[in-house]
Amino acid sequence: LTMSHGSPFHFRPDDGGYVGDCIPFYWAGVYHVFYLKRGFGGTPWAHIASRDLVNWAELPTALPIGEAGEHDGGDCWTGSVIEHEGTFHIFYTGHNEALDRKQVIMHATSHDLISWEKDPANPVLVIDNALYEGQDFRDPFVFWNDDEGCFWMTISARETGAPVPAAGCVGLATSTDLMNWDLQPPLWAPRKIWCPECSDVFPATGRWFMLYSTHVTAIATAP
């Protein structure tokens, strides 16, 4: 990596774009930060990397915006990165206001974390109105759940049949291979909020923790 942007703790794109919704991923001694780049129309995934969290290298765009008729033809919104058996996977939100399904779950892969190929099977997951209602179906966070013996994907969604102002829930999908996904009932449906965004689920100290945002960061726990 050729590092630049040496101002401590701060990074600004050379072209003046805005940095939003950072998606961090650490691999082989390098801190990768994918982020939603705003300021030029639609939103692609940009990519920077650092060995010390101070000096940063701008890398090629990871996920460019799709064509007008594609599911990510408006924006590539937030998601997550995971490695499995030598392949890196991005799961992200495809957004296109021109389509009936305005938010769907998309997939891309890479062997070097730099060059990414979008899955020809995209979208890999779409909303099921028997479980989830409305347009919110986004922010996929994917991790291996050792207790369940499969991959879990949490999703920002709204529960069908719940009171609309408080229908926000964390949706769930499961997979054994990261390619084929089965949509499940909500993992967490408090019926208190509009939509819990950008969830992050992990075990620690013998319990499960879930972080999410409602424009402020909140936390939920489970045994």
Side-chain angles (χ1 to χ4, degrees), residues 85-169:
E85 295 182 345
T87 298
F88 301 97
H89 300 258
I90 283 177
F91 292 90
Y92 68 103
T93 309
H95 171 244
N96 192 334
E97 286 292 322
L99 302 181
D100 290 339
R101 298 185 185 275
K102 294 176 172 53
Q103 296 180 17
V104 297
I105 307 304
M106 309 280 279
H107 178 223
T109 56
S110 173
H111 293 292
D112 61 4
L113 278 171
I114 308 299
S115 299
W116 292 87
E117 181 179 353
K118 294 181 181 180
D119 191 336
N122 279 329
V124 295
L125 193 62
V126 299
I127 199 167
D128 179 350
N129 290 121
L131 296 170
Y132 305 102
E133 63 88 19
Q135 297 185 24
D136 285 317
F137 195 72
R138 52 191 166 84
D139 308 341
F141 176 75
V142 176
F143 64 100
W144 173 257
N145 187 328
D146 201 47
D147 291 344
E148 298 293 326
C150 63
F151 294 97
W152 274 25
M153 176 193 294
T154 58
I155 306 161
S156 299
R158 296 207 302 271
E159 181 189 10
T160 294
V164 172
C169 68

Side-chain angles (χ1 to χ4, degrees), residues 196-211:
E197 300 184 339
C198 300
S199 58
D200 187 332
V201 179
F202 55 92
T205 64
R207 306 180 71 184
W208 283 93
F209 291 82
M210 179 171 62
L211 304 179

Side-chain angles (χ1 to χ4, degrees), residues 68-86:
E70 295 178 332
H71 286 277
D72 57 0
D75 302 281
C76 300
W77 277 352
T78 301
S80 57
V81 184
I82 188 172
E83 183 273 340
H84 180 58
E85 295 182 345

